[in-house]
């Protein structure tokens, strides 16, 4: 099956075993393979363009993410195996950028295969890529809890080396489909007016277009 989103829109897909993906772009989803007597189904997909966030679990069977041209003779230009953890992928004209956010990620070719640990990133282009540390997650997010008729001012400690921050706000705790997803330069943001209910938020430091590790997720309550 081929999945494609409209420009700027996100699409979230859930799988058994608490696995999920969020796509902004285009991908091909293969039939999940069955393993063992309990028929654990491993999710296999190929990212064709755009950005992908994926969470895999051992209970769900893990995920395999390929990017670019399809595999030939058992060899793939870019193949990533995520058994349990969370990762972010971005495929562009300059190659594939991968960030391991939780757990470990096995990355193969077009050069030597390597293991990517949480908190590190890799760029797979025409030349061999090297693992680089992500910017650290923003800390001291505040308020940790808040309630009132309007959204509170969101603040956090500045991250050294950050050129800006991506702020995600949504009504679901996992922030698959954020209601607000925008970039700010300062270490604070005033959310726009929102409907009554609980809203979750998270911040990511930026170095140019490269995203760092995500912060913890906190929530605030907008009262009727």
């Amino acid at each position: 099956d081929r999945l494609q989103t409209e420009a700027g829109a996100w699409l979230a897909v859930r799988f058994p075993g608490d696995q999920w993906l969020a796509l902004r772009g285009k991908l091909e989803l293969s039939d999940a393979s069955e393993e063992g007597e309990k028929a654990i189904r491993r999710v296999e997909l190929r990212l064709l363009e755009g950005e992908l966030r994926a969470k895999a679990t051992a209970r769900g069977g893990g995920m395999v993410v390929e990017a670019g041209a399809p595999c030939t003779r058992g060899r793939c230009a870019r193949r990533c195996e995520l058994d349990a953890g969370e990762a972010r992928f971005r495929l562009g004209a300059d190659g594939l950028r991968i960030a391991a956010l939780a757990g470990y990620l096995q990355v193969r070719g077009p050069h030597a295969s390597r293991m990517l640990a949480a908190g590190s990133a890799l760029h797979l282009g025409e030349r061999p890529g090297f693992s680089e540390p992500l910017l650290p997650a923003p800390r001291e997010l505040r308020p940790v809890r808040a309630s009132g008729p309007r959204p509170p001012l969101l603040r956090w400690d500045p991250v050294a080396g950050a050129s800006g921050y991506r702020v995600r706000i949504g009504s679901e705790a996992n922030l698959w489909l954020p209601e607000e997803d925008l970039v700010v330069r300062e270490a604070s943001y005033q959310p726009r007016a929102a409907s009554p209910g609980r809203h979750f938020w998270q911040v990511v430091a930026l170095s140019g277009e490269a995203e760092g590790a995500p912060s913890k997720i906190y929530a605030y309550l907008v009262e009727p």
Side-chain angles (χ1 to χ4, degrees):
D1 296 333
R2 176 169 291 194
L3 304 178
Q4 183 172 353
T5 65
E6 296 181 356
W10 283 92
L11 172 67
V13 182
R14 303 187 186 192
F15 300 96
D18 195 31
Q19 299 195 133
W20 57 264
L21 63 82
L23 170 71
R24 183 166 58 184
K26 184 191 303 183
L27 63 75
E28 288 182 348
L29 183 64
S30 303
D31 292 335
S33 58
E34 297 186 1
E35 299 180 0
E37 297 179 357
K38 296 183 180 180
I40 296 176
R41 303 179 69 84
R42 183 176 65 178
V43 177
E44 299 185 2
L45 57 92
R46 182 158 61 94
L47 181 62
L48 300 175
E49 65 179 53
E51 183 178 356
L52 173 71
R53 293 173 55 204
K55 177 186 177 182
T57 65
R59 182 162 57 93
M63 286 190 181
V64 174
V65 178
E66 298 169 4
C71 297
T72 57
R73 298 181 181 179
R75 299 186 64 182
C76 300
R78 304 176 183 95
R79 178 182 175 91
C80 308
E81 299 176 3
L82 185 62
D83 293 329
E86 186 173 348
R88 182 176 60 240
F89 307 86
R90 180 177 295 170
L91 181 62
D94 62 344
L96 177 67
R97 296 183 182 274
I98 310 164
L101 306 179
Y104 290 87
L105 183 66
Q106 180 71 40
V107 182
R108 304 185 185 279
H111 312 289
S113 63
R114 70 210 73 188
M115 188 72 73
L116 198 62
S120 57
L122 184 67
H123 177 208
L124 291 181
E126 295 301 324
R127 298 180 179 180
F130 297 93
S131 177
E132 299 177 352
L134 295 172
L135 284 176
R139 303 181 63 181
E140 299 298 326
L141 275 68
R142 48 200 184 271
V144 176
R145 298 184 185 88
S147 61
R150 299 182 184 86
L153 175 66
L154 308 179
R155 297 177 294 164
W156 54 92
D157 285 357
V159 175
S163 59
Y165 304 90
R166 181 175 295 279
V167 182
R168 296 187 176 100
I169 303 174
S171 57
E172 293 192 50
N174 49 36
L175 292 174
W176 291 353
L177 298 176
E179 298 165 351
E180 292 192 65
D181 186 350
L182 73 166
V183 174
V184 299
R185 291 191 176 275
E186 304 299 327
S188 64
Y189 175 66
Q190 176 63 61
R192 66 191 185 199
S195 58
R198 191 170 300 278
H199 299 265
F200 300 87
W201 65 289
Q202 182 183 60
V203 182
V204 178
L206 302 176
S207 177
E209 295 185 357
E211 294 189 5
S215 72
K216 293 182 179 179
I217 296 176
Y218 292 109
Y220 58 85
L221 179 64
V222 175
E223 298 176 338

